[in-house]
Amino acid sequence: SYELTQPPSVSVSPGQTARITCSGDALPKQYGYWYQQKPGQAPVLVMYKDSERPSGIPERFSGSSSGTIVTLTISGVQAEDEADYYCQSADTSFNWVFGGGTKLTVL
Amino acid sequence: QITLKESGPTLVKPKETLTLTCTFSGFSLSSDGVGVGWIRQPPGKALEWVALLFWNDDKRYSPSLRNRVSITKDTSKNQVVLIMTDMEPVDTATYYCAHRGLRTSSFDSWGQGTLVTVSS
């Protein structure tokens, strides 16, 4: 079955830049999406179609895509950005899939 | 404002069938491109996509669950129903329903989720 691979954890100090990657063989042909999930809460969409930011999401969140990797970048990380982040995409048969999640720790 | 809310049993026994209802407002499931999906999350684990129903009644299922799940809609009631058969303890999870938007092509609004425990 198709898989999206994320690093289990990323740690940064406040004000630094956090980059969370997601790799998958179908990503050159399918968009990547990113969700933020804080403890006890439902996920929130923070990036769609690789690099589009939904309304209400701070400008410090950005997205990019290169080949088989999509990246979520958080510039000037704040304490409130500490959360789990999940990438999501689809395989070539348009079955949706989530990555394993990355825990972002703000030191 | 789009809202979704999941409802159903919190406890089911092994081998039983789970029926969950997603009641939504703020959008129509008759509108082009719109969909409602189900996603689950076992305690302490990652999100897992389960099923997606589009405005035109096109239905997509996770390959790993395809033999056990079905998704239907009642447009007049603004509800989407997920049925999962032959429940096992590994199916214990928080089940979310979410709105799939035309513009974002992704799950841009989520319900609060409902925890379903499978235990005898």
Side-chain angles (χ1 to χ4, degrees):
Chain A
S1 62
Y2 183 53
E3 292 184 353
L4 296 174
T5 302
Q6 301 180 233
S9 62
V10 169
S11 299
V12 296
S13 298
Q16 290 189 330
T17 296
R19 294 180 179 85
I20 303 173
T21 59
C22 173
S23 65
D25 290 342
L27 285 174
K29 297 183 178 180
Q30 298 284 0
Y31 284 119
Y33 305 85
W34 291 95
Y35 301 86
Q36 176 194 68
Q37 187 181 33
K38 296 182 178 179
Q41 298 183 18
V44 173
L45 180 69
V46 296
M47 200 65 55
Y48 65 95
K49 294 183 180 178
D50 293 343
S51 58
E52 299 291 328
R53 193 173 55 249
S55 60
I57 301 302
E59 291 185 5
R60 63 180 181 273
F61 287 83
S62 63
S64 62
S65 175
S66 179
T68 61
I69 297 175
V70 292
T71 302
L72 177 70
T73 300
I74 310 172
S75 304
V77 166
Q78 300 182 6
E80 67 196 51
D81 300 329
E82 185 164 286
D84 293 328
Y85 290 84
Y86 293 92
C87 65
Q88 177 250 307
S89 186
D91 63 19
T92 52
S93 300
F94 294 95
N95 295 307
W96 292 37
V97 63
F98 286 92
T102 298
K103 181 176 180 60
L104 175 66
T105 300
V106 181
L107 301 170
Chain B
Q1 179 190 3
I2 291 174
T3 65
L4 307 99
K5 187 172 185 178
E6 307 85 354
S7 60
T10 58
L11 179 66
V12 298
K13 291 181 169 55
K15 303 299 185 185
E16 287 188 342
T17 294
L18 172 69
T19 300
L20 291 175
T21 300
C22 176
T23 303
F24 57 85
S25 63
F27 67 95
S28 171
L29 199 41
S30 299
S31 300
D32 284 3
V34 172
V36 172
W38 287 93
I39 303 97
R40 70 179 183 177
Q41 185 173 38
K45 296 189 177 182
L47 301 170
E48 178 185 18
W49 171 66
V50 176
L52 176 58
L53 174 63
F54 289 97
W55 83 102
N56 58 359
D57 214 36
D58 183 16
K59 302 171 185 179
R60 304 294 174 91
Y61 299 107
S62 166
S64 64
L65 297 171
R66 179 168 290 131
N67 292 336
R68 299 173 48 212
V69 299
S70 64
I71 188 171
T72 60
K73 63 181 170 79
D74 186 331
T75 306
S76 64
K77 293 183 178 179
N78 281 354
Q79 291 181 334
V80 171
V81 175
L82 178 75
I83 296 174
M84 184 176 294
T85 62
D86 198 21
M87 295 288 286
E88 293 296 337
V90 294
D91 296 312
T92 294
T94 295
Y95 287 76
Y96 296 98
C97 66
H99 168 265
R100 186 265 189 189
L102 171 63
R103 179 174 58 89
T104 65
S105 297
S106 55
F107 296 125
D108 50 27
S109 294
W110 294 61
Q112 64 189 21
T114 185
L115 176 61
V116 178
T117 300
V118 184
S119 174
S120 56

